[in-house]
Amino acid sequence: MSSGPPGWPERVPPAGVSGWEEAAVSWLLDQCPADYRAYQAWRKHPAALAWVATRHLQAQLEAMRGAWRDVRPELGPLLPPGTIGDVLDALAREGLRLRAAHRAAGLLLEALRLRAPMR
């Protein structure tokens, strides 16, 4: 669906297209903990949601990097022999997903900033 800039979320129409903000809010909420859906402020203020989502995704990415660094010494002894590779693969894939989501959330934040009223 998307024809926004590289890294723009697939499910979100390009900025300016009718309904893009609603799709952006839905996508951003999908990147955050489920409890975020309980707060109306995120739906009323999409730029605030994009801002907090980028921070949440950055924190997740940092946690994944820490897990990658610590997995062998901390988890390796607890796993059956030959299985650490599966865990490393899952961590690497999740890290890539998080990097892409963080970039996409940042693009949405910039687009929402551009359309925000000047104060």
Side-chain angles (χ1 to χ4, degrees):
M1 171 195 289
S2 175
S3 62
W8 189 265
E10 286 292 322
R11 295 185 354 230
V12 179
V17 171
S18 179
W20 84 273
E21 285 186 38
E22 293 81 6
V25 166
S26 177
W27 185 87
L28 288 162
L29 285 170
D30 286 347
Q31 308 312 305
C32 295
D35 292 344
Y36 281 34
R37 292 183 183 279
Y39 301 105
Q40 285 295 22
W42 302 142
R43 293 181 192 280
K44 285 174 48 178
H45 308 289
L49 173 59
W51 178 80
V52 78
T54 59
R55 288 171 168 261
H56 175 73
L57 288 162
Q58 181 64 38
Q60 283 187 296
L61 192 51
E62 290 170 14
M64 200 57 44
R65 288 177 180 144
W68 177 268
R69 180 187 63 241
D70 299 336
V71 68
R72 286 183 193 274
E74 292 183 14
L75 189 59
L78 304 175
L79 296 175
T83 60
I84 194 77
D86 292 340
V87 174
L88 289 168
D89 183 58
L91 291 171
R93 289 175 185 265
E94 181 62 5
L96 291 172
R97 186 195 72 77
L98 288 168
R99 279 184 37 206
H102 183 260
R103 171 153 172 67
L107 290 170
L108 292 176
L109 176 57
E110 286 306 309
L112 289 162
R113 281 182 174 157
L114 290 175
R115 73 109 189 85
M118 298 299 286
R119 293 182 190 227

